[in-house]
Amino acid sequence: MNDLLAARYQMAISLAFHIVYASIGMTMPFFLFVAEYKWIKTGKEVYLNLAKAWSKGVAIFFAIGAVSGTVLSFELGLLWPEFMKHAGPIIGMPFSWEGAAFFVEAIALGLFLYGWKRLNKWIHLGSGLLIGIAGVASGFFVIAANGWMNSPEGFDWINGQAYNIDPVAAMFNAAWISQSTHMTFAAFAATGFGVAGLHAILLLRGKFPEFHRKAYKIALTFGAVAALILPISGDFSAKNVARRQPEKMAAMESLFKTQERAPLLIGGIPNEETQEVKMAIELPGFLSYLAFGKFNAEVKGLNEFPPDEWPPVLLTHISFQLMVLFGMIMATIAVLYFVFSIQWKKILEKSLWLKILAFATPLGFLAIETGWMVTELGRQPWIIYRIMRTEDALTSMPGIVYPLLVISGIYLILTFLSFFLMRRQIQFIHEQANTNGS
Amino acid sequence: MIELTIIFIGISVLLYVLLGGADYGAGIIEIFTGSKRMNTISKAIAPVWEANHIWIIVVIVILFNAFPEVYSTVTMYLHIPLMLVLIGIIFRGTAFAFRYYDPFQDRSHKIYTLLFKIFSLFTPFFLGVTLGAVILGNLTTDNTLSFHDRFIAPWLNLFPFSLGIFIVVLFTYLAAVYLIGESSDNESRKQFSRYSIRLLIALVFSGAFVFVSAQVNGLNLLDMYLHSGISISCAIIATVLLPVFLYALRKGMKNMMRIIAGAQTAAILTGWFGIQYPVLVVLNNTSSLTVYNTVAPAKTLLMMIIALVVGLAFVIPLLLYLFRVFKFTKGEEI
């Protein structure tokens, strides 16, 4: 494996790993907040138990998210020093804000996790909310840096050097708000469906129904609201991409030739050689509508761009199709959940419904991963869009396949260990509940 | 603006060494005390460890913001020791969290504890090695040289290793002093007091060893030290504080001991700063990277400083509150 590919894999694996834990760490505190608030308001013990049980999960996921985030702050330089040398002073600003927000998050987490007995309950509740707010803020800030890679602004690029650097313009780049908004709701949807699915699985096993039912409802309410917002924030993102990065849009939808009334493809396998797409369902004009709000608008195809500037069409296309599929399934479940909650509450107790939720457990995370594949693969071959090629940012240290193997091995072990620990937590909580007879 | 940036880096490094350092050191001390003091150690670091380790992220962010070429050069040529540091950070942090949150006490806890101890030692050692390589200045950007000359020789040497040892001893010393005040019983307080004296002696010796190994590697550190007014004053301060520390220890003044250990650390860091400034990374084939030839444009510095000041306006009061809640109250379970 050549060094460029190894470095790209290492970055992809590190980010794919981190994003799961970071998403849980920044959204689940809100679930905790609701559970604890309900406990304070109703005095029902089950909400307190729920908040405590969840907080242990958050503690583990947060720790893994924090260390893998620390690793990323070094990996940017270990793998892409040429990129960081130029980009550091331009996009350092969002990183500074992210660092500050993350710091607040970590302190609030310490107060929350260890302060059950020492803090006044309202201060404790407030610390829970603060973890979430600071967490979401840190995620929102750091995506500004990625937005800048897609929409590089705030500098003049002359002979391979950046001049007239304006960090504020760089931070407020055209891609930031749409990317950050979409990702924030995606994190809520993924964590909401993930947590709800887990409790649905436990409900199906018939253990402690009151506890798990209350748990899944809090989680799914967050997840479902987010899942309904995602198509809107996604549309906002798609229009933004179509305007700024037409070749990414063309790759997402495998549009090889510029055309008016461009069709939206559902599914399909594109072939870059023959420039054909097999087995796709075509909806004429819908891509034009999706990208520009008019059915007969012209959408640029890949033929407008030199082939050595094409993103990998097949992977970008499939990732996009999968992301949309996962998102649509979640949105459908969300609609059903609200309809059932208002009109047919009894259905929410049925095992078929719980099975649907159990099936949806990983969907949000899969949507996040495939969505980031679209963002990152769709920007290739550039690390800074139309400014610096990914290969030119690479470290000069050879043998990157070795750190790649090490990091992959470690993250694989940690993935297994986090499942292992979750199981043990659940087992322990059930055993405790059995001995307490509640 | 440059001065402000340097002050921010200095404060962040100092806080990382004091807080993160004591945290690593607590894991190293557990190697010696075994499971007997595990509870004291776990309880002392659990609520604060994640916050304590964020200072290194602050240092990194300031570095690539303000001195991007320093960051990219160090990460490029010291890839291997930095990778080892990262492996250490991952294993140590997760092992500690798993140990705290795995509810079943069985064999798995032995593994977490073992990993926690090993990587509490391993991580600061390679941090020291990395720093040692930067100071020693055998980094080269000459890409006609062999892999060994470019990516291994600059750090695989006596001086970086002696600095690794020194950092480990320093962190363990800080932890011992910190844990004296965290102990709830007399016996452990005495044990940590004994440790702190021994570690202080070890610190003096490992410090001397750093100077000797610098000479061996052809770096005239002592000479550089004697030519800097700041460094000499710092050395004097650190030495004068030795008997003061022993006095405070005998009288059992736990907060005074912490302040003195902190002042000694600050003196050591400032002493190093005195000989290093304004050079940040010494390269052996071309002109070195200094504060002035790598600094980012003023607007970048300004925006970063605004973010840091606003951020710290939230972080510092919260951090003090966190420490007040967990560190300056006695007894009772958390």
Side-chain angles (χ1 to χ4, degrees), chain B:
Chain B
M1 207 75 81
I2 297 183
E3 290 76 13
L4 260 179
T5 309
I6 297 281
I7 290 170
F8 270 113
I9 290 201
I11 293 172
S12 310
V13 170
L14 178 64
L15 288 171
Y16 181 62
V17 169
L18 290 179
L19 302 170
D23 190 78
Y24 283 120
I28 302 171
I29 284 191
E30 213 186 292
I31 298 173
F32 299 102
T33 58
S35 56
K36 225 168 49 183
R37 302 275 173 259
M38 204 177 92
N39 269 338
T40 312
I41 290 171
S42 278
K43 255 185 3 195
I45 64 181
V48 293
W49 77 272
E50 308 214 61
N52 286 344
H53 284 274
I54 293 178
W55 290 109
I56 196 171
I57 302 183
V58 177
V59 175
I60 291 297
V61 169
I62 298 179
L63 215 53
F64 70 60
N65 239 299
F67 307 107
E69 210 176 332
V70 171
Y71 171 82
S72 63
T73 307
V74 169
T75 49
M76 174 122 77
Y77 295 102
L78 294 172
H79 189 120
I80 297 169
L82 278 175
M83 200 67 209
L84 295 173
V85 169
L86 293 183
I87 292 168
I89 287 176
I90 298 173
F91 277 117
R92 183 185 184 275
T94 48
F96 183 76
F98 288 177
R99 175 166 94 168
Y100 207 92
Y101 284 102
D102 188 339
F104 293 101
Q105 299 286 333
D106 55 17
R107 222 180 45 186
S108 60
H109 269 257
K110 290 212 172 92
I111 300 172
Y112 305 143
T113 298
L114 182 69
L115 288 174
F116 173 64
K117 288 187 203 167
I118 292 174
F119 288 102
S120 289
L121 181 74
F122 180 94
T123 315
F125 176 74
F126 281 103
L127 264 177
V129 169
T130 310
L131 190 64
V134 170
I135 298 172
L136 184 59
N138 280 350
L139 296 182
T140 174
T141 54
D142 179 356
N143 57 15
T144 57
L145 293 174
S146 70
F147 180 82
H148 179 269
D149 287 342
R150 293 164 71 208
F151 298 105
I152 294 178
W155 58 271
L156 191 69
N157 224 327
L158 187 63
F159 175 73
F161 277 66
S162 72
L163 201 67
I165 294 169
F166 180 75
I167 297 278
V168 165
V169 177
L170 174 67
F171 284 8
T172 320
Y173 166 66
L174 290 172
V177 174
Y178 172 64
L179 288 169
I180 297 171
E182 292 297 307
S183 309
S184 44
D185 62 302
N186 239 334
E187 197 200 331
S188 44
R189 203 168 298 135
K190 274 186 188 154
Q191 189 179 19
F192 292 132
S193 300
R194 273 200 310 278
Y195 279 175
S196 69
I197 296 177
R198 285 180 204 165
L199 284 160
L200 195 55
I201 296 166
L203 192 63
V204 173
F205 277 102
S206 62
F209 181 55
V210 168
F211 281 94
V212 173
S213 55
Q215 296 294 337
V216 172
N217 281 174
L219 176 74
N220 207 340
L221 199 62
L222 191 63
D223 200 43
M224 291 159 79
Y225 222 90
L226 294 176
H227 278 92
S228 158
I230 297 174
S231 302
I232 295 176
S233 345
C234 286
I236 293 170
I237 292 169
T239 318
V240 170
L241 284 174
L242 288 176
V244 184
F245 175 79
L246 294 176
Y247 176 78
L249 182 67
R250 183 172 317 160
K251 293 282 173 187
M253 300 148 81
K254 66 167 193 181
N255 284 335
M256 183 54 89
M257 283 187 290
R258 286 180 182 178
I259 291 167
I260 295 169
Q264 287 171 320
T265 311
I268 292 168
L269 288 175
T270 317
W272 165 54
F273 175 81
I275 57 171
Q276 189 85 8
Y277 190 83
V279 175
L280 292 170
V281 180
V282 186
L283 297 169
N284 76 357
N285 66 326
T286 161
S287 56
S288 296
L289 305 179
T290 69
V291 168
Y292 300 104
N293 67 16
T294 60
V295 73
K299 199 160 182 197
T300 297
L301 298 188
L302 177 67
M303 288 305 145
M304 179 189 75
I305 288 168
I306 290 174
L308 287 173
V309 169
V310 175
L312 289 179
F314 284 97
V315 165
I316 298 292
L318 275 168
L319 202 57
L320 290 174
Y321 181 65
L322 179 77
F323 276 90
R324 222 177 71 104
V325 169
F326 295 108
K327 294 295 143 213
F328 300 115
T329 45
K330 296 228 88 175
E332 82 187 282
E333 284 287 302
I334 46 171

